[in-house]
């Protein structure tokens, strides 16, 4: 057994899945207090993942996600043992990070044109707010498409006998030969909690109080 995913990468993934589900439903239903609070926590989560991508375990590193087009094609065509994301999976991860940051940033500049606006709306010209609103509505379709392809790919690998979900839950695999460099995810969770408190303190007080009917 070789450990390939540290505790933070594993927790990050399932928190991300829950966060996106809550954001999708709350955005669609117009429950914007819940939407904003979840959006701020997700922003902290994504920022922590980027920080962890700079000095976390080797399989969490952002630098390990960049491969030549040839390596990506090879990974799609041939089954090669890899430690961490394979080159094709790495492209998927980069696409996810980009789409999620576009969704978060556009949300921060979006407004429902009645009462509620993202915290950056006051700092940018109105044309940007219109653009951000359109982006926020259209980018979600790309994100949903990426999620569909992602789940399809995981199911495809499962049919070929690779239990990637089990590995992402337990952190361990029998497929890799060499043990990658691992860091304890605890440090990343501390960064996540500190950033969440910071973002919620800065922008989240109103929606938090409205959500819990305080004041
Ligand atoms: C909202 C839906 C989802 C999003 C946005 C998402 C996003 C991601 C991201 C960003 C990663 C890379 C993790 C990292 O390096 O930090 C990843 C990996 C992974 N995801 Fe998801 N995911 C979603 C749903 C799911 C579901 C439902 C499953 C299970 C059926 C799943 C299974 C996996 C697996 C197994 C990996 C590791 C792939 C590998 O071994 O290279 N994901 N996902
Ligand atoms: C990954 C994160 C996010 C996802 C998946 C998401 C998703 C959505 C969805 C599905 C809608 C409904 C769009 C429609 O009416 O067609 C929506 C609306 C909205 N979102 Fe987000 N959102 C995210 C982050 C944020 C953030 C961080 C903010 C601001 C702090 C925000 C602010 C808004 C606003 C103001 C609306 C209402 C727009 C309107 O009524 O026209 N969102 N979002």
């Amino acid at each position: 057994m070789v450990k390939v995913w540290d505790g933070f990468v594993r927790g990050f993934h399932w928190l991300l899945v829950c966060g996106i589900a809550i954001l999708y439903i709350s955005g669609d239903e117009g429950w914007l207090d819940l939407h904003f609070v979840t959006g701020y926590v997700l922003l902290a989560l994504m920022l922590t993942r980027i920080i962890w991508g700079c000095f976390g375990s080797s399989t969490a590193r952002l630098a390990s996600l960049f491969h030549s087009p040839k390596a990506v094609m090879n990974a799609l065509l041939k089954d090669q043992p890899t430690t961490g994301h394979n080159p094709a999976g790495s492209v998927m991860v980069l696409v996810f990070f980009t789409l999620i940051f576009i969704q978060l940033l556009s949300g921060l500049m979006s407004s429902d044109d009645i009462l509620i606006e993202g915290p950056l709306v006051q700092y940018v010209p109105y044309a940007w707010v219109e653009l951000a609103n359109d982006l926020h509505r259209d980018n979600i379709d790309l994100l949903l498409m990426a999620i569909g392809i992602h789940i399809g790919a995981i199911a495809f690998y499962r049919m070929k006998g690779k239990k990637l979900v089990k590995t992402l839950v337990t952190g361990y695999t029998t497929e890799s030969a060499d043990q990658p460099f691992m860091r304890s995810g605890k440090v990343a969770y501390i960064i996540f909690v500190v950033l969440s408190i910071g973002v919620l303190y800065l922008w989240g007080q109103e929606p938090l109080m409205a959500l819990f009917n305080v004041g």
Side-chain angles (χ1 to χ4, degrees):
M1 284 284 200
V2 169
K3 186 166 184 183
V4 283
W5 302 124
D6 63 56
F8 178 69
V9 170
R10 278 141 58 207
F12 160 80
H13 181 267
W14 302 112
L15 284 171
L16 179 68
V17 173
C18 296
I20 295 213
I22 296 174
L23 280 157
Y24 184 80
I25 296 167
S26 58
D28 222 30
E29 296 286 339
W31 302 333
L32 289 182
D33 292 321
L34 177 61
H35 194 72
F36 276 38
V37 170
T38 315
Y40 296 144
V41 176
L42 200 86
L43 177 65
L45 184 72
M46 287 300 296
L47 291 175
T48 311
R49 179 65 186 85
I50 299 303
I51 296 171
W52 201 235
C54 298
F55 68 88
S57 308
S58 64
T59 51
R61 295 277 167 99
L62 298 179
S64 72
L65 295 174
F66 295 90
H67 301 273
S68 67
K70 197 174 157 210
V72 174
M73 280 313 287
N74 276 343
L76 285 172
L77 300 173
K78 280 183 259 163
D79 218 2
Q80 297 152 327
T82 34
T83 305
H85 299 299
N86 77 21
S90 300
V91 173
M92 184 86 247
V93 179
L94 289 173
V95 167
F96 267 135
F97 287 175
T98 309
L99 292 178
I100 293 167
F101 272 115
I102 291 176
Q103 195 66 20
L104 286 167
L105 253 182
S106 61
L108 295 174
M109 291 180 209
S110 281
S111 136
D112 68 353
D113 275 336
I114 317 167
L115 276 177
I116 295 183
E117 47 187 44
L120 297 185
V121 166
Q122 53 181 321
Y123 303 111
V124 296
Y126 188 66
W128 286 32
V129 177
E130 283 182 302
L131 184 73
N133 270 328
D134 290 345
L135 251 180
H136 203 65
R137 275 191 209 115
D138 296 340
N139 185 63
I140 189 73
D141 294 334
L142 293 180
L143 190 55
L144 289 177
M145 251 192 306
I147 293 169
I149 295 171
H150 176 59
I151 296 176
I154 305 290
F156 178 71
Y157 278 113
R158 181 65 192 84
M159 285 190 296
K160 294 206 303 181
K162 285 200 172 178
K163 297 181 179 167
L164 300 180
V165 178
K166 192 176 167 204
T167 306
L168 196 63
V169 172
T170 62
Y172 288 91
T173 182
T174 46
E175 300 210 1
S176 299
D178 44 330
Q179 174 62 57
F181 166 72
M182 285 283 126
R183 268 217 164 103
S184 157
K186 281 187 197 126
V187 183
Y189 280 110
I190 294 170
I191 298 173
F192 169 48
V193 170
V194 170
L195 282 180
S196 295
I197 293 172
V199 181
L200 286 172
Y201 180 77
L202 188 66
W203 290 332
Q205 297 188 26
E206 252 181 69
L208 256 180
M209 288 204 278
L211 201 57
F212 294 104
N213 263 325
V214 187

